[in-house]
Amino acid sequence: MCKDSACFLTMKETDLEAVATAVQRVAGMLQRPDQLDKVEQYRRREARKKASVEARLKAAIQSQLDGVRTGLSQLHNALNDVKDIQQSLADVSKDWRQSINTIESLKDVKDAVVQHSQLAAAVENLKNIFSVPEIVRETQDLIEQGALLQAHRKLMDLECSRDGLMCEQYRMDSGNKRDMTLIHGYFGSTQGLSDELAKQLWMVLQRSLVTVRRDPTLLVSVVRIIEREEKIDRRILDRKKQTGFVPPGRPKNWKEKMFAILDRTVTTRIEGTQADTRESDKMWLVRHLEIIRKYVLDDLIVAKNLMVQCFPPHYEIFKNLLSMYHQALSTRMQDLASEDLEANEIVSLLTWVLNTYTSTEMMGNVELAPEVDVSALEPLLSPNVISELLDTYMSTLTSNIIAWLRKALETDKKDWSKETEPEADQDGYYQTTLPAIVFQMFEQNLQVAAQISEDLKTKVLVLCLQQMNSFLSRYKDEAQLYKEEHLRNRQHPHCYVQYMIAIINNCQTFKESIISLKRKYLKTEAEEGLCLSQPSMDGILDAIAKEGCSSLLEEVFLDLEQHLNELMTKKWLLGSNAVDIICVTVEDYFNDFAKIKKPYKKRMTAEAHRRVVVEYLRAVMQKRISFRSAEERKEGAEKMVREAEQLRFLFRKLASGFGEDADGHCDTIVAVAEVIKLTDPSLLYLEVSTLVSKYPDIRDDHIGALLALRGDASRDMKQTIMETLEQGPMQASPNYVPIFKEIVVPSLNVAKLLK
C-alpha cells in the first residue's frame, strides 16, 4: 500500500511538473500580440511532436516485450536440458555399479601387464647391460682424450640403464635391498666415471679465462654438459614426486658446483697476486694492488666480451663473475687492513679502495660499460674499518711529522755553526733550507691525503699547522740559545750575523708558505674557518724575527758602546769623531743587513734610528760634561746639530725605498741643542716649555740633567722652572712615540741639582 501511495504521489508530481513546463513554453510563445495569429500553427506542431513521442514509446515497449518472450522460451528449453542430463547421470551411475564385479575379475590381467612391461624393459636394456664394461672403457678413454661431450653421452647411457633397472626394481619390490645392491655394484664404475668427468670440467672452469681465448669450444662443451646434467636432475626430481625413487649420486647440482669453482678460482687469483713482502720490497703493497687492478680489469673485459657468448643468458655469467670479484676484493682488502700497516701503506690501500677501484683505470673503464655501474658497487671496506685506518694514519703521521720537524731543526742548527755564509735566494736574501724542507714535507703529505679524500686533506692540513705552531716555539727557543751562545764568545760562530739574518728571513718565508699552503688546500669557507680557528703563527714568527733583529742590533751597539761613551765628554767637545765612527759602523753593519727581507729590514732600520738617537740623548743626560761658558754651550750645541744632521743623512740613506720618515728622531737632538744653545737665561723657561710641549714624556730629572749640562742656570731659576712644569703636565698627541721614557738619568740629590 505504501508503495502504491508513493508511486501515485510521484506520478502526481510529474504531472504537475509537466503542466508547469507546458505553461512556461506557452508563455514563451505568446509574449507579443502578433503571435496570437500563430496559435493554430503552434497547436499543429505540438500535436505532431506528441504523435512522434507516442510512436517511439510504443516501439520501445514492443521491443521490451519481445525480449522478455524470447528469454522465457530459452529458460524453458534449459530446464528441459537439465532434466535430460539428470536422467543420463542416473543411467551412468547404474551402469557403473553393475560393472564393479567385472573390474575386480581383471586383476590378474593387470598384474600380467605390469610383468610384461618389466620384462620388456629388461629385454630392452639387456644389450646395454652386457656392454657395460666395454662402455666404461670407452668412456674412460674419451675422458683421457679430452672428448668430453662424447664421454658424457656414453656416461648418460650408462646412468640411464642403471637408473632404469633400479627404478623398475624399486617399483616391484622397494624393500629388496639385495637386488638393488647387486645392480649398484654392477654399475659401480659409473660413479667413478662421473667424478672423473667432473674433475675435467672443473679444471677447464678453473682456467676458463685462458680457455675462452684459446679454445672457446671446449668451454662451450663444458657448459653444455652441465646444462644436460641440470635437465636430468630436474627430470629425476619430478619423477621422485610420483615414484619416490632417486638414483644414487642425484641430484648432481653441477651448475651450483660450477659457480662455487669459479668463486674459488677468483679468490685464489686475487690472493695469489702478492709476489713480495715488506721485508723484500718496501713497495710491496703498491705492486700488489697494481697487479690486482690489472688482473681484475683484464679478466672482466674477457668475461664481458668472450665468456658471455659461451654461457646461456639465464646464467648471467658476467653479473655473477663481477659479484665474485667484488666479494673476493672486499675480503682481500679486509685482510690487508687488519695487518700492521705503515702510514704510506695505509695511504696506498685507502687510495686504491676509495679512488682507484671506481676510477676509469678499473671498474669505471669504458670497456666495462654499461654492464658495470660504478655507483651501484658496494664499498670494499666498511666505514668503521676506513675510520680505524684513518685514525691509525693520523696517529702515525703526527709522530712522523714531529720527528721530521725535530730532525729538520737539528740539521738547520748544525748549519748555523758553519764557517761559510748561508746560501742566498734569487733576490740575494740569506736563507737556510729549513722552510723548503718543512713545507716540502707538508706538501707531500697533503698531496697524498688529497688523493684519499677532501676531509682527510683538511685534517692533515690542520695537523700540519698545529705541529708548525709547536715547531716555531722550539725554533724561537733555539734562536735565543744561539744568540746567548754567541754573546758568551762573540768570535763564534764565525758567521753569526749572516745566519741570524737567514733566521729572520726564514720567518718571512714561513709566513708566505703558510698563506700559500692554505690558499692551495682550502677550497671552502668552512675549511678556512676550521683552520683559522687554529693558533695563529704570525705572532710567533714576528717575535722570532723581532728578537733576531734585536740581537743583530745588540751586535751593532756592542761595537758602538765605546764611541757612544765618548759623546758629551771633554774629548767630544774638543773634536772627537765618535759620531763619524758611529755612522760608518752602522752603515757597514747595514750593508750586511741588506740581506734581510724588506718587511723586517724596514722595521730594523727604524729601530736602529730610534735607538741611536736614544743613546745620544742618554749621553746628554749622563752629565758627563758641564758647559762653563756661552761659547762652550754654543760650540757644543752646534756640534750636536751637525751630528744630528749626520745621523739624519745616514738613516735617510738606510731608509730609502721604505717610504719612512727618517727625520723625527733626529729632530729631538736638535730641540735639545736649542735649549743648550740659548744665550739669554731669562728665556730658558720658555725654551724648556717648548721642549716639554713637543716631548710630553720628558720628566723632571731629564730637565734637571739638561739644566745641569748648561751650567749657567741659577738655583732660583731651576726651582721656578721645575715647579712651573710640575703644575701643568702636557698632553701627548695620538701619533707621538715616546723617546725619553726609556732614558734613565743617574740619581742626583736635589741639593746638588739646584746648585
Side-chain angles (χ1 to χ4, degrees), residues 90-186:
D91 295 340
V92 169
S93 178
K94 182 179 178 182
D95 292 341
W96 175 74
R97 288 190 181 92
Q98 292 175 355
S99 63
I100 290 177
N101 295 330
T102 306
I103 293 172
E104 291 178 352
S105 65
L106 295 176
K107 182 178 180 182
D108 295 338
V109 177
K110 180 181 177 182
D111 294 340
V113 169
V114 172
Q115 187 177 8
H116 181 272
S117 174
Q118 294 172 347
L119 291 173
V123 171
E124 181 68 24
N125 291 316
L126 192 59
K127 181 175 64 176
N128 292 334
I129 291 172
F130 286 120
S131 61
V132 165
E134 182 182 354
I135 296 175
V136 168
R137 287 193 299 272
E138 291 176 356
T139 306
Q140 185 68 46
D141 292 340
L142 289 171
I143 292 175
E144 292 175 357
Q145 294 168 12
L148 302 182
L149 275 177
Q150 299 175 29
H152 185 251
R153 173 58 63 186
K154 290 188 175 293
L155 177 62
M156 285 195 301
D157 292 341
L158 288 172
E159 289 180 337
C160 183
S161 299
R162 180 198 64 182
D163 297 345
L165 289 172
M166 295 182 78
C167 182
E168 290 299 329
Q169 178 62 35
Y170 182 83
R171 289 170 62 187
M172 287 190 299
D173 187 5
S174 59
N176 189 348
K177 301 295 184 183
R178 187 180 66 81
D179 290 345
M180 293 291 280
T181 303
L182 181 63
I183 297 172
H184 189 274
Y186 185 73

Side-chain angles (χ1 to χ4, degrees), residues 324-342:
M324 292 174 192
Y325 273 100
H326 182 80
Q327 185 57 46
L329 287 172
S330 179
T331 302
R332 183 56 183 159
M333 295 305 116
Q334 294 278 1
D335 293 341
L336 290 173
S338 64
E339 295 186 15
D340 187 15
L341 297 177
E342 297 177 355

Side-chain angles (χ1 to χ4, degrees), residues 231-243:
K231 290 179 181 178
I232 296 172
D233 281 348
R234 287 194 295 271
R235 188 168 65 247
I236 287 176
L237 291 176
D238 289 341
R239 191 169 64 183
K240 177 187 176 184
K241 297 175 183 177
Q242 299 174 359
T243 64

Side-chain angles (χ1 to χ4, degrees), residues 620-731:
V620 172
M621 302 300 171
Q622 292 292 320
K623 200 178 179 299
R624 298 170 182 168
I625 185 175
S626 179
F627 297 118
R628 297 176 180 176
S629 64
E631 288 297 324
E632 280 191 357
R633 285 192 291 277
K634 180 181 178 182
E635 182 182 349
E638 289 176 350
K639 186 174 180 63
M640 289 175 66
V641 172
R642 288 196 304 274
E643 291 176 345
E645 290 301 320
Q646 276 184 273
L647 295 174
R648 191 195 310 275
F649 177 79
L650 170 66
F651 286 106
R652 277 180 179 175
K653 180 179 178 181
L654 296 179
S656 62
F658 296 150
E660 285 288 303
D661 179 13
D663 299 338
H665 297 313
C666 293
D667 288 343
T668 310
I669 298 176
V670 175
V672 171
E674 290 297 325
V675 175
I676 295 173
K677 185 179 179 181
L678 186 67
T679 56
D680 186 355
S682 62
L683 300 176
L684 189 59
Y685 169 74
L686 182 61
E687 193 68 35
V688 171
S689 298
T690 302
L691 180 66
V692 173
S693 66
K694 285 184 179 180
Y695 306 102
D697 63 319
I698 198 168
R699 300 190 300 273
D700 293 348
D701 52 353
H702 295 140
I703 300 300
L706 190 55
L707 294 177
L709 178 64
R710 278 184 59 86
D712 65 340
S714 64
R715 179 180 177 183
D716 293 338
M717 184 180 295
K718 292 178 181 177
Q719 187 72 31
T720 301
I721 292 172
M722 299 292 283
E723 291 176 355
T724 305
L725 291 176
E726 286 178 359
Q727 294 174 1
M730 298 295 178
Q731 295 294 325

